[in-house]
């Protein structure tokens, strides 16, 4: 005989568990960030292949064809107006503007709804990013303090994100999600400064008229976001115009790309818009007509910000086409006829190597360590100083930005070749140093994985947890939820479908993770559910709270208690009971210790689930857990 439990017990949890500090946990980090990281890491393979092809081609009997290809002129001529450049300039000034546009979009998203919304978590990587630029430049200028070679100081500022993530996947810890997030955040300041330097230091004579027009177009792009314009076409038109005017103004096109991306706003999906899209989709399912389908598609587009839609569309093109083509056009150095020997004995070559490898490693790691020691912030969970030093070494892979600066800084072909050899050498040496540091950190400091915890910190206890289903069911699904989170409201239907699918084989457990910095009424609602639990009505209150997410003020919660026939006076006392407050804090602490960074977060057989949480996906994960014996 199986016993069914429909409520949690009194305040529980481990008595020695210190509640985690409050901070903004803005939705499940994994989806957009995991997509970005996987695309960048995949693009690194093509980037490496394109680099090798360029080097082999430039040093082959067909090297003349390589040079002739990139010297080929192409463009558009309309009457007396023409836009004609050689192919290398089209790549460096055209395609790379798209590359920097995608970076700008990503930076804007991080500041609006991503990692950089919590300034406390951003402090360490931002300070480390500054150190990772200042120290390399000082070391570079120490090696080449004057002359034309000094013009290339900005080569040691930038880091190639794709190459860094690709190298991290090969030489870094097996699980390095948190370190990747830290490095990606660090790259934000790196990218902004690098693009600003390229645009301001290495541009030609700036013309005032086009510059003023640039400002107007920028204001127009910003206005589109503020006015909530959701169609992509107006942004595309103004963005293209901004690029043309920037080139005409004499500034490097990277400025147009980064500025355009920064001005396209990013917002989290709003509940009412998502629900409106769902209504339109249901209407289309009932009446599959062209007009209804267009309305459904428009509703889906409205639900997702222009920033997100542009990033998801353009980022694969940037990673898999733009950056590899750039490498093909710029990495082809003919090393014959003494060029390699000349480069290896050049102060310029070694200034680049020292700046990127030594400067980045010292600048990032020392600044991060000092900031942590001074209490400016803390490293992400799971990341140790050994991981930071290894990541700092890998940030010495400058490549894309470094090669772009080398082409802009040096008119002398010999200096450009020496700089390019330095950039390529630095990429190889930085990767080897990073590998050595990660291995040493694992052996000497025990710093293996650099990831969030992946397993449930506190095992399910039917005497404490809210359990729906047989307490001895072979399958367990634990959800950390927030009563004010619209995505958690959607999962109530998912949980219901899963229980219908698996029956007595599944027990569903709900734990509280109120995101107080995002949803101001969420913690009060969690306490209301626990107060109702004292009168054996947790799941009834659970359902009511999700049905009325927009009405969670205290007087409304009292009304729900009356609707459920609860003793209202007792409910009110329990609502403010210190034990109830502690119970919520215990759940939040267990969420933090289990690696839950947003809501909803699911655990299947005590293993944290990342990815979609629709019914079919969770069915597959539960079935896989059963087959693997993880029950």
């Amino acid at each position: 005989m199986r016993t069914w439990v429909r409520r949690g017990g009194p305040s529980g949890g481990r008595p020695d568990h210190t509640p985690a500090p409050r901070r903004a946990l803005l939705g499940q980090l994994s989806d957009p960030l995991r997509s970005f990281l996987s695309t960048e890491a995949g693009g690194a393979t093509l980037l490496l292949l394109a680099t090798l092809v360029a080097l082999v081609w430039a040093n082959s009997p067909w090297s003349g064809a390589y040079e002739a290809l990139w010297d080929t002129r192409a463009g558009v001529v309309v009457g007396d107006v023409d836009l004609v450049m050689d192919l290398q300039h089209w790549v460096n000034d055209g395609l790379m503007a798209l590359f920097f546009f995608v970076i700008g979009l990503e930076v804007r998203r991080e500041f609006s709804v991503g990692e950089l919304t919590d300034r406390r978590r951003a402090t360490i990587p931002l300070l480390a990013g500054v150190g990772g630029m200042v120290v390399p430049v000082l070391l570079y200028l120490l090696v080449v303090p004057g002359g034309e070679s000094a013009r290339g100081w900005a080569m040691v500022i930038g880091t190639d994100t794709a190459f860094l993530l690709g190298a991290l996947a090969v030489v870094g810890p097996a699980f390095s999600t948190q370190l990747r997030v830290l490095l990606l955040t660090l790259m934000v300041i790196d990218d902004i400064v690098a693009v600003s330097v390229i645009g301001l230091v290495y541009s030609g004579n700036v013309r005032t008229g086009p510059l003023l027009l640039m400002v107007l177009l920028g204001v127009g792009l910003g206005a589109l976001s503020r006015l909530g314009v959701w169609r992509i076409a107006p942004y595309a038109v103004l963005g293209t115009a901004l690029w043309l005017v920037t080139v005409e103004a004499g500034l490097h096109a990277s400025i147009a790309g980064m500025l355009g991306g920064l001005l396209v706003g990013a917002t989290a999906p709003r509940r009412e818009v998502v629900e409106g899209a769902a209504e339109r989709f249901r209407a289309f399912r009932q009446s599959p007509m062209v007009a209804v389908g267009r309305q459904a598609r428009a509703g889906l587009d409205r639900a997702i910000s222009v920033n997100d839609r542009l990033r998801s569309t353009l980022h694969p093109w940037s990673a898999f086409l733009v950056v590899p083509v750039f490498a093909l056009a710029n990495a082809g150095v003919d090393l014959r006829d003494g060029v390699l020997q000349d480069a290896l004995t050049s102060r310029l070559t070694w200034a680049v190597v020292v700046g990127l490898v030594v400067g980045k490693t010292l600048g990032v790691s020392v600044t991060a360590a000092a900031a942590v020691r001074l209490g400016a912030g803390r490293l992400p969970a799971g990341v140790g100083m050994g991981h930071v030093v290894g990541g700092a070494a890998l940030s010495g892979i400058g490549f894309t930005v470094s090669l772009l600066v080398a082409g802009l800084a040096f008119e002398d072909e010999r200096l450009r070749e020496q700089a390019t050899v330095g950039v390529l050498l630095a990429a190889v040496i930085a990767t080897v140093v990073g590998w050595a540091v990660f291995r040493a950190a694992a052996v000497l400091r025990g710093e293996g994985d650099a990831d969030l915890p992946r397993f449930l910190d506190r095992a399910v206890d039917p005497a404490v947890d809210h359990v729906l289903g047989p307490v001895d069911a072979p399958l367990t699904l634990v959800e950390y939820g927030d009563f004010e989170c619209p995505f958690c409201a959607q999962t109530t239907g998912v949980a219901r479908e899963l229980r219908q699918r698996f029956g007595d084989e599944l027990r569903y457990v709900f734990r509280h993770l109120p995101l107080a910095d995002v949803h101001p009424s969420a913690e009060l609602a969690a306490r209301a559910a626990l107060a109702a639990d004292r009168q054996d009505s947790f799941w009834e209150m659970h359902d009511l709270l999700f049905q009325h997410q927009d009405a969670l003020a205290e007087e409304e919660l009292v009304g729900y208690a009356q609707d459920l026939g609860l003793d209202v006076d007792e409910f009110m006392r329990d609502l403010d009971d210190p034990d109830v407050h502690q119970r919520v804090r215990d759940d939040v602490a267990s969420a933090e210790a289990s690696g839950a960074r947003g809501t909803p977060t699911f655990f299947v057989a005590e293993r944290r689930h990342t990815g979609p949480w629709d019914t079919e996906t969770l069915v597959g994960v539960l079935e896989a857990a059963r087959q693997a014996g993880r029950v």
Side-chain angles (χ1 to χ4, degrees):
M1 178 178 178
R2 293 184 175 181
T3 303
W4 286 72
V5 179
R6 287 180 56 84
R7 64 183 184 88
S11 175
R14 300 185 304 186
D16 60 341
H17 201 143
T18 302
R22 288 287 180 200
R23 59 186 178 186
L25 305 174
L26 300 179
Q28 199 156 330
L29 155 69
S30 55
D31 284 349
L33 188 56
R34 216 174 43 247
S35 175
F36 179 87
L37 293 173
S38 61
T39 302
E40 287 288 313
T45 304
L46 287 179
L47 178 57
L48 178 59
L49 181 62
T51 302
L52 294 175
V53 169
L55 284 171
V56 171
W57 190 357
N59 290 274
S60 72
W62 302 280
S63 58
Y66 176 84
E67 295 179 3
L69 171 64
W70 302 112
D71 287 339
T72 302
R73 295 183 65 77
V76 178
V77 179
V78 180
D80 295 332
V81 179
D82 66 86
L83 183 61
V84 180
M85 297 183 284
D86 60 52
L87 289 184
Q88 188 168 41
H89 277 88
W90 273 112
V91 171
N92 294 350
D93 294 346
L95 289 182
M96 288 304 287
L98 179 63
F99 167 78
F100 287 112
F101 179 70
V102 173
I103 289 178
L105 292 172
E106 183 64 28
V107 170
R108 177 61 182 268
R109 190 193 75 84
E110 289 299 314
F111 274 106
S112 298
V113 295
E115 290 295 296
L116 298 181
T117 52
D118 187 345
R119 301 299 184 257
R120 292 166 296 178
R121 292 164 61 185
T123 300
I124 298 298
L126 290 181
L127 290 175
V130 173
M133 290 182 292
V134 173
V135 175
V137 171
L138 292 177
L139 290 179
Y140 178 92
L141 293 176
L142 187 65
V143 178
V144 284
E148 188 176 354
S149 296
R151 273 183 51 82
W153 59 270
M155 285 188 294
V156 298
I157 288 181
T159 297
D160 191 301
T161 305
F163 248 147
L164 182 148
L165 294 178
L168 183 62
V170 175
V171 305
F175 297 97
S176 56
T177 303
Q178 288 295 89
L179 179 58
R180 290 185 180 200
V181 173
L182 173 70
L183 293 174
L184 184 61
T185 308
L186 187 149
M187 292 303 108
V188 169
I189 185 69
D190 185 290
D191 289 333
I192 292 175
V193 174
V195 173
S196 300
V197 168
I198 291 172
L200 299 176
V201 176
Y202 298 108
S203 295
N205 294 324
V206 178
R207 290 180 283 278
T208 306
L211 187 63
L212 292 176
L213 188 53
M214 274 183 62
V215 173
L216 292 177
L217 289 170
V219 171
L221 271 173
L224 290 179
S225 293
R226 285 195 170 277
L227 294 173
V229 176
W230 57 272
R231 296 186 186 277
I232 288 179
Y235 294 89
V237 171
L238 288 185
T240 303
L242 180 63
W243 173 72
L244 290 170
V245 172
T246 301
V247 173
E248 184 65 23
L251 294 172
H252 192 269
S254 60
I255 285 286
M258 178 66 85
L259 180 62
L262 289 172
L263 290 172
V264 179
T267 57
R270 298 200 311 274
R271 180 186 178 191
E272 62 273 15
V273 180
V274 172
E275 290 179 348
E279 288 294 332
R280 290 185 176 90
F281 179 79
R282 282 191 287 270
F284 176 69
R285 186 171 59 183
Q286 295 169 356
S287 303
M289 301 169 62
V290 173
V292 181
R294 287 174 178 165
Q295 292 178 354
R297 184 179 183 85
L300 291 173
D301 285 342
R302 283 177 181 269
I304 304 172
S305 73
V306 175
N307 184 292
D308 285 326
R309 282 183 280 141
L310 283 171
R311 275 189 311 105
S312 64
T313 300
L314 297 178
H315 187 219
W317 287 97
S318 173
F320 296 129
L321 176 66
V322 173
V323 175
V325 169
F326 172 82
L328 187 63
N330 290 273
V333 180
D334 191 340
L335 301 175
R336 297 170 296 181
D337 300 326
V339 172
L340 179 59
Q341 182 178 358
D342 182 43
L344 292 178
T345 58
S346 165
R347 292 174 67 90
L348 172 58
T349 300
W350 293 107
V352 174
V353 173
V354 170
L356 285 172
V357 178
V358 181
K360 286 287 187 181
T361 304
L362 290 178
V364 170
S365 57
V366 172
T367 306
V372 171
R373 179 65 63 89
L374 294 173
R378 62 180 183 177
L379 296 174
V383 176
M385 277 309 304
H387 297 134
V388 174
V389 177
L394 293 184
S395 69
I397 305 176
F399 205 80
T400 305
V401 174
S402 299
L403 290 179
L404 185 60
V405 172
L408 296 171
F410 303 123
E411 295 182 2
D412 188 326
E413 184 67 25
R414 182 178 61 86
L415 293 179
R416 191 180 304 133
E417 291 170 345
Q418 293 171 0
T420 301
V421 171
V423 172
L424 297 177
L425 274 177
V428 175
I429 296 172
T431 303
V432 173
V433 172
W435 172 83
V437 171
F438 284 127
R439 294 302 172 270
V443 173
L444 301 178
R445 298 172 59 90
E447 294 176 356
D449 293 348
D451 195 11
L452 285 170
R454 296 186 297 279
F455 294 92
L456 198 62
D457 173 66
R458 189 184 74 211
V460 174
D461 182 354
V464 175
D465 282 305
H466 311 294
V467 182
L468 194 58
V471 296
D472 58 347
L475 294 173
T476 299
L477 179 69
V478 178
E479 177 186 354
Y480 283 95
D482 174 319
F483 286 114
E484 205 173 351
C485 170
F487 305 106
C488 292
Q490 296 172 19
T491 63
T492 58
V494 172
R496 190 177 304 112
E497 292 173 4
L498 290 172
R499 296 200 305 275
Q500 292 173 353
R501 181 80 65 95
F502 288 97
D504 288 355
E505 292 185 301
L506 175 69
R507 61 176 181 175
Y508 168 70
V509 181
F510 184 87
R511 288 181 176 176
H512 304 281
L513 181 53
L515 309 183
D517 297 313
V518 185
H519 302 135
S521 300
E523 185 171 354
L524 179 62
R527 290 178 6 231
L530 290 170
D533 179 49
R534 296 277 183 91
Q535 300 184 49
D536 296 335
S537 297
F538 174 82
W539 291 105
E540 292 80 2
M541 181 63 79
H542 167 280
D543 294 342
L544 273 178
L545 294 174
F546 276 126
Q547 290 168 14
H548 302 283
Q549 285 189 312
D550 295 331
L552 297 178
E554 184 169 333
E555 60 272 17
E556 291 160 330
L557 298 177
V558 171
Y560 304 147
Q562 290 175 330
D563 293 342
L564 294 176
L566 305 183
D567 183 324
V568 174
D569 291 334
E570 182 181 349
F571 175 82
M572 291 292 293
R573 286 193 299 271
D574 290 337
L575 195 62
D576 293 322
D577 190 317
D579 287 341
V580 170
H581 283 265
Q582 183 62 42
R583 172 58 193 278
V584 175
R585 289 195 293 268
D586 286 341
D587 274 5
V588 172
S590 73
E592 290 284 334
S594 304
R597 300 296 293 248
T599 56
T601 295
F602 290 97
F603 287 78
V604 175
E606 299 193 345
R607 183 187 295 267
R608 181 164 50 84
H609 167 69
T610 57
W613 29 261
D614 58 279
T615 301
E616 292 306 315
T617 297
L618 289 175
V619 165
V621 175
L622 286 163
E623 290 288 3
R626 176 160 53 186
Q627 293 174 9
R630 295 187 290 106
V631 295

